[in-house]
Amino acid sequence: MITHRPHGIEHPYASSPDQRVPVLPLAGSPVRLGVVASPDVTRVVCEWGSAELEMSPADATEDAAALAGGEGHLSEAQAKSLGSEGGWSVETPPVIEPVSYRFRAYPAAGAAGDGVEHTAWFEVAPASWVAEGGKLLGGGDRVSGVEWLVSAQGVHRCRFRLPLGPDDRLVGFGERYDVLDQRGRELDAVVFEQYKSQGVHGRTYLPMPFAHVVNAAWGFHVRTSRRTWFSSDDRGLTVEVALGDEAVVDLGIYDGSPTEVLGAFLDEVGRAEELPSWVFRLWASGNEWNTQDLVMARMDKHRELDIPVGTVVIEAWSDEEGITIWRDAQYDVTPDGSAHKAGDFSYPADGAWPSPKAMIDELHRRGIKVILWQIPLQKSELSTGQVAADAAAMARDGYAVLEADGTPYHNRGWWFPQALMPDLSVQRTRDWWTEKRRYLVEDLDVDGFKTDGGEHAWGHDLRYADGRRGDEGNNLFPVHYARAFGDLLRSAGKAPVTFSRAGFTGSQAHGIFWAGDEDSTWEAFRSSITAGLTAASCGIVYWGWDLAGFSGPVPDAELYLRATAASTFMPIMQYHSEFNHHQLPLRDRTPWHVAETTDDDRVIPIFRRYAVLREKLVPYLTAQAARTVTTDRPLMRPLFFDYADDPEIWNHPYQYLLGDDLLISPVLEPGAANWTTYVPEGDWIDAWTGTPVSPGLITRETPLDLIPVYCRATAWPALQPYF
């Protein structure tokens, strides 16, 4: 009849109707208590110590609406995920000392004492910031103002200050979409699936508690996987760290240039390995390419139009239940949840995928690699057949992430709600989970996996088999996830090509990343470049985005082609489109569909030109990626790595170096017939004209088929043939 959870569903940015807000109040502050009651309840009372507080029906629609990321098939699910139906709330008096509380619910026909339901008792203890309470390791004399958040239940957080000079810049914190320089911002580090508008909300799939302090020539890393918070002003940076059972904070300080700071950080957390050169060719995908005929038709069209493509990502290949078996395949269920072999399956001629192996072989003959989509969730409710058997095995044999009470955790988010989550923190589960996909690699010759998702662990008290609780283990989940599939590929003699959107500290060593879900807008274009530069500043080498956005109506020709040009000069070049229920008009981001939709005959020839140029750049990108791995100088490099002493670079935050020798200046506004680039010190050549240019501000014409690119004069003899 009535439920209350002090922590609610533990969405990191919004409260649920059954929650205590804040969970940990400061002494002298009130809290808002919430419950969810069945529809027949007409009155709810909170017994707050010796007082009784009447509760009122609650309206949480404001919190719910804040989650919507715009138009798209996940938007409504987000907005509804924190619906307020049945919610009641009350604000308490200020909390001065520990208080016990519970709730009484009265049904419509009941009177006091007749049919009344009581919850269990809960306790809330207020906390205060005090000077003593734990130990901060590292930091030296840079650390000041250390305080500890202490209640009767223990030490919960630490906060401290780090100095910032008036001209210092803060860059890093993982993949960030809003600005390159985070000075003056408030942000945190928690893995989260923000569906679109990441820059607007300041949220990210791939956070890290690491940053460069540019100009002052140092950087820092809070060595924790728990949540951290950061805010800066004109005097310094305040860092707040969630604590576990032990009240200890470990702070790493690195002195030196940005490259030296990044290198010291990567020495601790791991760095990328070289991936094969084919990853630098064009990647193509669309969520609605859900049959063999559709995939081959798209690849046939590439060949017909002479647009080179190197990789196809097939998202909708499975039943989207267990994500291990091709849709329409015929097979016998393994009741114990054990893995199938390739020979266990047959494929009907009239099915969605009549011959996956023949399709993959043909794509390989054409020089096209094949990536299959994954998500680290296992549907369980209302499932039958192999999906039900696998879910039962996860629960029965200890492969699932657990709730605090030892029962399997069910996903609290809006994507695959209530699904089980494999506990990839230990090798035993990683082996079990990936063994079910082994036939795809060893027998069907799949080349890699799109390791989508990874943000679904919500709950401070979840239990992982490696001994961590959720507050410490949730951020690490996507790292384990990419690692598991990379290890599967390695074990089959293949390169560990994974394609992830979520990650955390340590993700640097695990494959390729893309910027996640975004609309087709100029704002999203700019945000995605910022995401790439901030990720690179933290050691992510192989990175891309869904060029021109993947969600919403097809972009206009100008946005699409400007994004294509920019993507040609990024580590990974790929297009992708969102699921739209196969409704017309289609939303494919293929160049020919964009041309048809926009009625612009410039799209195909310009796209072809850049795809061909991308093919020519593969040797350069391969060599520069190898150099990045050995030197820690980012492949997609913010200018402060090379020109930290030049204050003008901060006025041009979307410019970057691609490797050592190419300066890229994307056109990021519609209708730009001319574009101004800041060319830093050195000898440079306009890559399109071969003309030397002088350092400083340069404005050149930018017709639709041209992105400003400048080449170091010393590299021009080698790179000139590409242009």
Side-chain angles (χ1 to χ4, degrees), residues 34 45 100 125 156 198 208 242 401-402 418 460 549 654:
V45 174
S100 295
H156 304 277
Q198 295 89 1
M208 297 181 201
V401 174
L402 302 178
Q418 299 301 309
H460 73 287
Y654 301 112

Side-chain angles (χ1 to χ4, degrees), residues 1 42-43 45 47 52 102-118:
M1 182 189 297
T42 59
R43 182 186 178 212
V45 174
E47 299 178 36
E52 291 198 350
R102 70 173 181 175
F103 304 92
R104 299 197 309 265
Y106 295 85
D114 180 18
V116 176
E117 180 176 322
H118 296 79

Side-chain angles (χ1 to χ4, degrees), residues 53 79 95 128 178 184 227 336 372 382 389 464 494 559 659 661 691:
L53 308 175
V95 186
S128 300
D178 47 359
R227 193 173 184 178
D336 62 353
L372 295 186
L382 306 178
Y464 291 92
K494 289 180 174 281
L559 173 57
D661 301 316
T691 305

Side-chain angles (χ1 to χ4, degrees), residues 487-556:
D487 287 348
L488 168 64
L489 291 158
R490 286 188 191 92
S491 72
K494 289 180 174 281
V497 177
T498 55
F499 192 39
S500 308
R501 70 179 185 188
F504 193 71
T505 310
S507 288
Q508 292 89 339
H510 302 295
I512 301 170
F513 294 83
W514 94 100
D517 299 342
E518 255 305 354
D519 277 318
S520 292
T521 65
W522 291 93
E523 180 183 30
F525 185 3
R526 293 186 289 271
S527 292
S528 296
I529 290 177
T530 300
L533 295 175
T534 51
S537 300
C538 298
I540 298 296
V541 175
Y542 301 94
W543 178 93
W545 66 305
D546 298 332
L547 70 83
F550 97 128
S551 182
V554 169
D556 63 47

